[in-house]
Amino acid sequence: MRAVVLTAPGTPLQEAELRRPVPGPGQVLLDVHACGVCRTDLHILDGELARPKLPLVLGHQIVGTVAEAGAGAEGLDAGERVGVPWLGWTCGECRYCRSGRENLCDRARFTGYDLDGGYAEQAVADARFCFPLPSGYPNLQAAPLLCAGLIGHRALRLAGDAERLGLYGFGAAAHVVAQVARWQGRRVFAFTRAGDDEAQAFAAELGTVWAGGSEEQPPEELDAAIIFAPVGALVPAALAAVAKGGTVVCAGIHMSDIPAFPYDLLWGERTLRSVANLTRRDGEEFLALAPQVPVRTHVEPFPLAAAQEALERLRAGDIRGAAALEVRPS
Ligand SMILES: [Zn+2]
Ligand SMILES: [Zn+2]
């Protein structure tokens, strides 16, 4: 099968012919139709996440059709369309797994990091971690639901019932969260890179009440903010923008160092927290919610061979909405 492979962090992805993977017990083999491109893929490529499997097939927003089921893979039939998220396997035994927090599992394995992902014509996945996908979404449009959507949903839940919500970094996740938050009756304030008029116009199209640069103060205090951009300096900026009792959620897996800031910014019962990974429950909830809103994903497609280009465009902030690889058009 054709694939795009990371052989060493800091070097470009390479096209390769790999042996077709064989589904092990409990796994399914998928024909990959599309795979979303995520900021996390860029962190892995750049060596900012410590221990990827190498060589590695990136990609943790896989939309595929079941081609073959391994022994004991229950609940999925050949021909069924499913999505594979970042959470690829959990132990089911540790204190986190046993308390409904499998996102924090000590032994979790992640798709496109510990396990080969979807930048390839075929992939294997544990059947228990595959989600049926809502039928109204074509393959490319479904792909960003699987990380931008799921992690965004979890971050939004952990932001509490904030009426005035700030989103720092208006990329794939924020463009989904903005739609859900607005549907829930919240008012959304979008923060982009300074001077990024296109991203601010895109945010306005999605119904945000204000869009500006991340160094700007919003026109009124916020009740919560979610930081999607991997920039530590946004933490004190967001704390300065939220009202007393407000929450700042860091939703990325990696961030540059957070600069020191005066305690005053946290005082007043402000909360600062991160969001890590997802649970299968998050996935089920969000994939049921998305068609109700309905969330419409804006996707820029790239062929599999252009995965590196897609990542560089993402790095440059040059993607409107989400990027996804179109692997096997169906
Ligand atoms: Zn992701
Ligand atoms: Zn566990």
Side-chain angles (χ1 to χ4, degrees), residues 46-224:
D46 290 345
E48 289 166 334
L49 299 185
R51 292 179 302 277
K53 164 194 181 295
L54 289 173
L56 171 68
V57 178
L58 287 166
H60 56 268
Q61 306 185 85
I62 307 173
V63 176
T65 301
V66 177
E68 193 184 317
E74 282 168 18
L76 293 179
D77 298 320
E80 196 168 336
R81 187 176 78 142
V82 296
V84 183
W86 172 244
L87 189 73
W89 183 88
T90 55
C91 77
E93 295 167 353
C94 71
R95 62 190 303 145
Y96 299 105
C97 283
R98 284 187 285 112
S99 57
R101 297 179 292 166
E102 65 179 357
N103 60 309
L104 302 178
C105 173
D106 285 329
R107 293 158 61 201
R109 292 185 205 148
F110 299 106
T111 311
Y113 184 60
D114 302 302
L115 308 162
D116 279 334
Y119 287 18
E121 289 180 311
Q122 290 180 306
V124 292
D126 188 311
R128 297 168 302 169
F129 292 82
C130 295
F131 298 117
L133 292 169
S135 58
Y137 290 86
N139 296 326
L140 274 170
Q141 281 68 31
L145 299 177
L146 290 159
C147 183
L150 296 192
I151 302 280
H153 172 69
R154 185 173 177 86
L156 181 59
R157 183 153 52 76
L158 296 180
D161 55 7
E163 195 254 326
R164 300 166 297 181
L165 177 73
L167 301 177
Y168 286 79
F170 206 82
H175 102 287
V176 172
V177 170
Q179 296 175 56
V180 176
R182 195 179 156 219
W183 176 75
Q184 291 171 333
R186 306 174 197 249
R187 290 187 297 137
V188 181
F189 298 73
F191 298 79
T192 71
R193 295 183 202 205
D196 191 345
D197 299 338
E198 269 185 52
Q200 290 168 19
F202 182 46
E205 276 172 40
L206 293 174
T208 60
V209 296
W210 177 87
S214 55
E215 76 296 347
E216 291 177 48
Q217 275 292 324
E220 55 189 297
E221 285 187 313
L222 306 174
D223 300 305

Side-chain angles (χ1 to χ4, degrees), residues 32-39 41 59-63 118-120 138-148 172 175 297-311 313-314 318-329:
V32 178
H33 298 306
C35 185
V37 174
C38 177
R39 166 64 66 170
D41 301 340
H60 56 268
Q61 306 185 85
I62 307 173
V63 176
Y119 287 18
N139 296 326
L140 274 170
Q141 281 68 31
L145 299 177
L146 290 159
C147 183
H175 102 287
T297 53
H298 188 281
V299 177
E300 195 160 333
F302 292 84
L304 177 59
Q308 182 72 35
E309 184 198 336
L311 286 163
R313 292 269 308 279
L314 189 63
D318 191 21
I319 299 285
R320 185 183 161 97
L325 304 178
E326 190 166 30
V327 183
R328 291 167 176 249

